[in-house]
Amino acid sequence: MKTAIIASLVAGAAAFAPAANKPASTQLSASLSELDGGSSLPLPNFDPLKLADQGSDETLRWYRAAELKHGRCAMVATVGYLTNAAGYHFPGQLSSDISFESLAAMSPPEAWAAVPIAGKAQILVTIFAAELISEGYQGTHYMKGGEYPTMVFPAIDFSGVSTETMERKRTSELNNGRLAQIAILSFISEHYIPGSVPALANNPGWH
C-alpha cells in the first residue's frame, strides 16, 4: 500500500496556495494574508507564483483541498518509504509467489513494480473510492462552501475538540504535509538521480 501512495503522489503536483475557509463566491474576496490558517506558522505566507491571485474563491478552496490531500498522501508515503528502507515489512505473502519479505528487500519504486497487476488494481480502486468519498458527493462540495476533505480510512471524529485546538491541529497538518511532500520527492529524486540529494547520498536505503 505504501508503494501505491508513492506512485500516486508522483502523478500529481502539490498545491501550496491556501484557500479561504468560508462560503465560496464568484469573486475573489480575500487576499492571501487574510485567509484563515494559510501561513506556515510561525513563517509568513509563501506564494512566489502568486497562485492566490488567480481565479475565484472556489479556485482557492480547490487549492487548499489539493494541498490537504497531497500532504496526507505524502505523510503516509514518507512513513512507508522509511519503513521499507529500514527493512520492516508485513508477515506472510502478498500473492502466491511474492512475499512481503522479498518486497522489503527492494526499493519502494521497485516493490511497486513487482506488485501483480491484480494487486495494483485493488489498490487503485481503493484510492478511487476514497477520492469519491472525500470529494463531498454526500453533501455540499467544498468548492461551494462545504467541508474540506476529511480522512476516509479511518474516519476520525473531532466533534469534541475545541475550536482553538482544531485550528492548531489544522496548521500542524498543513505544515507536516508540506514537509512530507518535500521529503518524499527528495527520496524519489535520490533514488532515480543518485547524488541529487546530498543528505541521502551513499545511503543504501535510497538506491
Side-chain angles (χ1 to χ4, degrees), residues 116-185:
I117 296 297
K120 291 177 180 176
Q122 293 175 52
I123 292 169
L124 294 176
V125 167
T126 301
I127 294 172
F128 178 70
E131 179 71 4
L132 287 179
I133 295 171
S134 67
E135 278 296 308
Y137 286 94
Q138 287 72 36
T140 304
H141 195 269
Y142 55 81
M143 290 179 66
K144 301 299 182 182
E147 293 294 326
Y148 285 115
T150 58
M151 295 293 292
V152 177
F153 307 121
I156 303 175
D157 181 13
F158 290 109
S159 59
V161 180
S162 67
T163 301
E164 294 77 12
T165 300
M166 279 303 300
E167 287 301 317
R168 186 173 68 253
K169 288 182 178 293
R170 288 192 181 101
T171 298
S172 297
E173 181 184 32
L174 284 169
N175 288 334
N176 290 335
R178 289 162 179 167
L179 288 173
Q181 289 174 80
I182 294 172
I184 191 61
L185 290 175

Side-chain angles (χ1 to χ4, degrees), residues 5-200:
I5 297 297
I6 294 171
S8 63
L9 180 67
V10 177
F16 285 91
N21 189 17
K22 60 183 179 179
S25 67
T26 57
Q27 298 296 323
L28 189 63
S29 60
S31 66
L32 183 60
S33 61
E34 296 171 337
L35 299 179
D36 295 334
S39 63
S40 298
L41 297 177
L43 301 176
N45 292 314
F46 181 73
D47 186 22
L49 299 180
K50 303 298 181 183
L51 295 177
D53 296 334
Q54 307 298 319
S56 64
D57 283 0
E58 286 91 341
T59 303
L60 291 181
R61 291 182 68 84
W62 186 88
Y63 284 153
R64 169 50 58 84
E67 181 177 32
L68 282 170
K69 289 182 180 181
H70 282 92
R72 289 163 181 167
C73 286
M75 286 187 279
V76 174
T78 299
V79 172
Y81 206 114
L82 292 173
T83 301
N84 188 92
Y88 296 104
H89 58 82
F90 291 113
Q93 297 286 122
L94 174 68
S95 64
S96 59
D97 57 345
I98 299 177
S99 66
F100 285 108
E101 182 177 5
S102 66
L103 293 178
M106 309 175 190
S107 67
E110 293 168 340
W112 169 251
V115 174
I117 296 297
K120 291 177 180 176
Q122 293 175 52
I123 292 169
L124 294 176
V125 167
T126 301
I127 294 172
F128 178 70
E131 179 71 4
L132 287 179
I133 295 171
S134 67
E135 278 296 308
Y137 286 94
Q138 287 72 36
T140 304
H141 195 269
Y142 55 81
M143 290 179 66
K144 301 299 182 182
E147 293 294 326
Y148 285 115
T150 58
M151 295 293 292
V152 177
F153 307 121
I156 303 175
D157 181 13
F158 290 109
S159 59
V161 180
S162 67
T163 301
E164 294 77 12
T165 300
M166 279 303 300
E167 287 301 317
R168 186 173 68 253
K169 288 182 178 293
R170 288 192 181 101
T171 298
S172 297
E173 181 184 32
L174 284 169
N175 288 334
N176 290 335
R178 289 162 179 167
L179 288 173
Q181 289 174 80
I182 294 172
I184 191 61
L185 290 175
S186 297
F187 295 167
I188 294 172
S189 295
E190 179 61 30
H191 174 77
Y192 287 107
I193 310 175
S196 61
V197 183
L200 302 178

